[in-house]
Amino acid sequence: MLDGKVAIVTGSGRGIGRAMAEMMAKHGAKVVVNDPGVAQSGEGEDKGPAEEVAEAIAAAGGKAVPNFDSVASFDGATNIVNTALATFGRLDIVVNNAGVLRDRMLHKMSPEDWQAVQDVHLGGHFNVCRAAINVFREQQSGRIINFTSTSGLIGNMGQTNYGAAKLGIVAFTRILAMESMSKNITVNAIAPFAWTRMTASIPVTDKASEERVENIKKMKPEFIAALVVYLCSDKAQDVTGQVLGVRAGEIIVFGFPQPLRSVHHSGGWTPQEIGEKAMPALSPYFTPPQVTTDLFPYEPMD
């Protein structure tokens, strides 16, 4: 499905990124395997993961080149794009998968914990897309796959930094899709569910959390990779600006915020009137915070 295409997959030395890089190569893409080999929290450096994936792709008959730049800097992102152009002569696909975690409750979170997550996730999406977008616009074609999370779409305790960045990626995706439609560039986002190095950090404190971890272990990265291959193919030309989730055999489409109910009072409201009249009319439509992600209705297809 991707014959003749050249793809960048950031954070592809392990987990979901590796599964995507390998499946894209299997379907004919030449791949820049980007991964600086940092720890889950973002420290350190190790060229081994990216080199290992590139070698595995080559051993399977595909073509790949490792790259070790960080998406957290624009210079690094520019070098990732230039690696694709210098090695393979073109660029067709960008998959923004790189990420770090600095999970803390807000009252314990340092400014460094906040900024590191913003720099890699939201900043990394900007840096790589900005480095690649004019290549796509000039050739009037391209595929961009961004990665959001239910931590941003729904919420998750201990992840105000991560959730804020991931919801920002939704707006980034939607607006970039609007800006790119006339140039035959599609931009979509995926909220993944899979057992990886990052989800392996979920604490097991009781029976419910133990069951949750066991269920996540059944969610293989390859399920997500299959959707990415499709979205990056010519068959997905009409799919853009969407947020899709993958949870094992489920594919989920997420909606976007929209008004649920409004009340109007000529001349405006006093604080007392808001409490007496407006809130009773609006509050039945409130969505309370829920400490769960098991909220998705699904339709069995087999």
Side-chain angles (χ1 to χ4, degrees):
M1 293 182 75
L2 302 179
D3 281 349
K5 309 287 188 184
V6 174
I8 289 169
V9 184
T10 69
S12 52
R14 304 179 177 93
I16 296 171
R18 176 170 186 160
M20 292 188 295
E22 291 182 342
M23 189 175 289
M24 294 172 84
K26 182 179 179 181
H27 283 267
K30 301 178 182 71
V31 184
V32 176
V33 179
N34 162 257
D35 201 311
V38 299
Q40 182 175 286
S41 57
E43 294 95 354
E45 183 177 337
D46 181 4
K47 294 182 178 181
E51 290 176 336
E52 180 182 333
V53 175
E55 290 168 3
I57 289 172
K63 293 185 179 180
V65 61
N67 172 276
F68 316 107
D69 288 284
S70 171
V71 301
S73 78
F74 184 66
D75 286 346
T78 300
N79 196 51
I80 297 169
V81 170
N82 287 340
T83 298
L85 297 175
T87 306
F88 299 122
R90 60 180 295 115
L91 178 62
D92 304 280
I93 299 163
V94 164
V95 181
N96 286 303
N97 170 72
V100 298
L101 288 178
R102 297 281 185 93
D103 289 358
R104 302 255 191 311
M105 300 289 275
L106 185 64
H107 64 277
K108 297 181 179 179
M109 186 177 294
S110 70
E112 292 76 19
D113 292 333
W114 171 269
Q115 197 60 51
V117 171
Q118 305 309 311
D119 288 347
V120 173
H121 288 277
L122 189 54
H125 276 66
F126 166 78
N127 289 332
V128 179
C129 287
R130 180 62 183 85
I133 194 65
N134 284 324
V135 175
F136 289 170
R137 289 178 65 86
E138 289 170 11
Q139 69 193 22
Q140 297 202 31
S141 68
R143 296 284 186 272
I144 296 173
I145 308 296
N146 296 328
F147 270 75
T148 182
S149 170
T150 52
S151 294
L153 296 165
I154 296 169
N156 193 30
M157 291 179 64
Q159 291 192 318
T160 53
N161 49 2
Y162 182 75
K166 288 303 192 181
L167 191 55
I169 288 166
V170 172
F172 181 91
T173 297
R174 191 76 166 177
I175 295 168
L176 185 56
M178 294 175 186
E179 296 177 352
S180 303
M181 291 174 67
S182 66
K183 297 296 185 180
N184 198 33
I185 302 164
T186 67
V187 189
N188 294 287
I190 292 176
F193 295 79
W195 184 253
T196 66
R197 180 177 62 147
M198 295 179 77
T199 51
S201 65
I202 296 172
V204 177
T205 57
D206 53 26
K207 186 66 174 178
S209 60
E210 182 181 349
E211 290 177 356
R212 183 185 178 200
V213 165
E214 288 304 312
N215 285 332
I216 295 174
K217 285 182 178 179
K218 300 174 185 176
M219 301 175 192
K220 299 178 181 179
E222 288 76 14
F223 293 126
I224 296 153
L227 178 59
V228 170
V229 169
Y230 168 75
L231 290 175
C232 292
S233 74
D234 293 339
K235 295 180 181 297
Q237 179 57 46
D238 296 328
V239 183
T240 193
Q242 303 307 308
V243 176
L244 299 167
V246 181
R247 184 172 63 173
E250 292 176 70
I251 297 176
I252 303 155
V253 59
F254 288 91
F256 293 87
Q258 58 183 342
L260 299 177
R261 173 77 187 272
S262 68
V263 292
H264 177 264
H265 183 40
S266 298
W269 300 84
T270 66
Q272 292 81 4
E273 289 171 334
I274 290 173
E276 293 170 0
K277 297 180 180 180
M279 285 300 106
L282 296 175
S283 60
Y285 296 86
F286 288 177
T287 303
Q290 300 183 53
V291 187
T292 179
T293 57
D294 192 21
L295 301 173
F296 314 120
Y298 71 94
E299 179 183 355
M301 301 296 287
D302 52 20

